[in-house]
Amino acid sequence: MARWKAENLGSDQLYKRKRDAVIRQAARAFGEHGFHGTSLDEIAKALSVTKAALYYYVRSKQEILFECHTIALDLGDAALQEAMRTGRTGLERLSIFVKIYIEMLTGELGSCALLTDLSSLTADHRRKIIGRRDHFDIRLRAIIEQGIADESIAGRDTKLTGFLIMGAVNWVPRWFSGDGPRSGTEVAEEFVQMLAMGLAPRSKL
């Protein structure tokens, strides 16, 4: 695997590069075979390293899964931050968030953004991920509430609207293929158009 072997990097950079390679390879395997259907032996084999070498970078499959969830939340936070910075109305901010987040999920880091298998996390990791998700949901609902207040979004249940949007967006890494007929940006733009049609007041369509 190309990312495992890196030249001209310091020890800290090389460690991070190799750890990232482990997480990426594991995320791809989790996506194809499921968390329980993937072993560390298979990940080590795909990276052409021993299992003992693998343990230098990760302690368990649960740690890898936690990192995958963390990456997904990091991407979501970054997309929300940019939406808040550049959008004006609630619908604009929601559309910007969806577009950026889908582009990220279909990009290089997207394969690591595993958004299921919470039950397979350790209790401590699960508490941390759920806490971050709850905070994310509050911020997302605030954007929806803003849109209802400024009348860019038709009045709806903010909780259900958030679940609908995130349910659709979080499923994208499951079916998206870089070899498919549409790029990640094209998929993101189509989602945004459907979002606007579904949430904008009828008088503004």
Side-chain angles (χ1 to χ4, degrees):
M1 187 173 182
R3 287 189 171 274
W4 188 260
K5 296 179 179 180
E7 299 82 15
N8 302 319
L9 292 178
S11 58
D12 290 344
Q13 291 176 304
L14 186 58
Y15 176 86
K16 184 180 185 304
R17 173 69 63 84
K18 291 186 175 183
R19 192 172 190 275
D20 287 347
V22 171
I23 293 169
R24 290 172 190 274
Q25 184 61 41
R28 279 191 286 270
F30 292 163
E32 292 177 7
H33 309 295
F35 176 77
H36 296 290
T38 304
S39 69
L40 286 178
D41 290 295
E42 292 168 332
I43 297 168
K45 183 179 180 181
L47 290 166
S48 300
V49 299
T50 65
K51 189 175 180 180
L54 200 65
Y55 277 120
Y56 179 68
Y57 301 100
V58 293
R59 290 170 290 185
S60 65
K61 283 203 307 178
Q62 284 79 12
E63 182 181 347
I64 297 172
L65 186 63
F66 174 71
E67 291 298 332
C68 289
H69 280 282
T70 298
I71 288 170
L73 288 164
D74 288 345
L75 296 179
D77 286 344
L80 266 184
Q81 184 176 350
E82 182 63 14
M84 292 299 295
R85 187 183 70 83
T86 58
R88 294 171 299 175
T89 68
L91 184 58
E92 280 185 4
R93 287 178 168 174
L94 200 57
S95 297
I96 292 168
F97 161 73
V98 168
K99 184 176 186 300
I100 293 175
Y101 194 34
I102 290 179
E103 287 177 336
M104 288 177 169
L105 290 176
T106 55
E108 188 178 6
L109 285 175
S111 63
C112 300
L114 198 65
L115 299 138
T116 57
D117 277 321
L118 270 177
S119 62
S120 298
L121 291 167
T122 65
D124 182 53
H125 283 167
R126 187 161 55 249
R127 281 193 297 271
K128 290 178 180 177
I129 293 302
I130 290 175
R132 284 195 62 182
R133 280 190 173 186
D134 289 346
H135 181 61
F136 175 88
D137 287 342
I138 290 171
R139 294 165 65 201
L140 181 66
R141 289 178 201 171
I143 291 177
I144 298 171
E145 288 170 358
Q146 178 200 345
I148 293 172
D150 65 28
E151 298 184 344
S152 61
I153 295 177
R156 287 179 172 84
D157 185 308
T158 57
K159 184 176 181 179
L160 290 179
T161 301
F163 284 161
L164 175 66
I165 293 169
M166 294 310 299
V169 171
N170 286 342
W171 201 249
V172 170
R174 290 289 186 176
W175 55 259
F176 177 79
S177 171
D179 299 325
R182 294 191 180 189
S183 68
T185 296
E186 289 172 335
V187 169
E189 290 172 348
E190 188 68 24
F191 262 66
V192 168
Q193 289 183 21
M194 290 188 285
L195 176 71
M197 291 177 63
L199 294 181
R202 299 282 78 85
S203 61
K204 296 188 178 183
L205 291 178

